[in-house]
Amino acid sequence: MTKNIQRANKGKIVTEDNDSCRLLQFCPDIEGWPKSWAGEEIDIETGRKIVEFLKPFLLYLLTTKLAPKTLCRHRDHMWMLGGEVITRLNYDPTLRRKPVEKVTFDLLEEEGGPLIWPQITEQQQNAFDASCRKLYRFLQTALDNSQIPTK
């Protein structure tokens, strides 16, 4: 990893290594997410791509002033979303031809995320949708800045 040093607003030095440490503190099991989602060996590499796609959002969450419990809920919902992406890829193998970023983004909409199966409670789905809306807005901003694939 490179150590690009940048000055933050309050004079702190921020490096990519610092981001990695913060992310590992926030998501200590993030490296295990791909294996936890995998139904087949091919899913592990796809899962790694999903994690890489979600990392900027997870790091963004750490810059917000959200309560720790809320941050953990969003983190857990991103894990659920990654698992749902893998499930969709296994049910519809034609989706594997698309970039994982596109498949993930296509599962999101302004109102929330995909319906989770096995079914979760309405309250749990609403909370999941809130996290997906937040991710959708984050990605929409990135899309406006042409930072995610659209094809």
Side-chain angles (χ1 to χ4, degrees):
M1 232 180 262
T2 62
K3 291 186 180 182
N4 295 329
I5 299 176
Q6 303 168 356
R7 291 257 175 215
N9 290 346
K10 297 185 179 180
K12 294 180 184 176
I13 294 178
V14 180
T15 67
E16 287 182 21
D17 287 341
N18 188 19
D19 285 347
S20 294
C21 289
R22 289 175 47 225
L23 189 60
L24 282 175
Q25 287 174 340
F26 179 49
C27 308
D29 60 341
I30 196 166
E31 297 303 322
W33 286 11
K35 195 168 186 175
S36 72
W37 297 325
E40 305 174 30
E41 192 67 30
I42 191 172
D43 295 335
I44 294 174
E45 184 56 36
T46 303
R48 287 185 185 118
K49 291 177 184 176
I50 294 169
V51 166
E52 288 305 312
F53 181 64
L54 294 175
K55 276 183 181 180
F57 176 67
L58 294 167
L59 285 167
Y60 160 75
L61 289 175
L62 292 173
T63 67
T64 64
K65 297 193 187 281
L66 296 172
K69 187 175 178 179
T70 303
L71 288 171
C72 289
R73 188 176 64 239
H74 288 313
R75 175 202 62 207
D76 293 348
H77 291 152
M78 293 304 101
W79 176 83
M80 286 173 59
L81 178 63
E84 187 62 24
V85 171
I86 295 293
T87 298
R88 300 286 174 105
L89 291 172
N90 287 326
Y91 280 127
D92 184 358
T94 62
L95 291 175
R96 289 197 185 272
R97 292 186 217 131
K98 297 180 180 180
V100 73
E101 300 86 355
K102 171 103 174 95
V103 174
T104 305
F105 187 75
D106 287 350
L107 286 177
L108 305 171
E109 51 189 47
E110 248 179 282
E111 291 81 31
L115 186 63
I116 297 297
W117 191 259
Q119 191 171 4
I120 56 178
T121 67
E122 184 176 350
Q123 184 179 7
Q124 291 169 327
Q125 183 69 47
N126 289 341
F128 176 73
D129 287 340
S131 295
C132 288
R133 281 192 299 273
K134 187 173 276 300
L135 174 62
Y136 178 83
R137 287 190 302 268
F138 177 83
L139 294 174
Q140 196 63 48
T141 301
L143 182 62
D144 291 344
N145 295 328
S146 301
Q147 294 176 359
I148 59 174
T150 56
K151 295 180 182 180

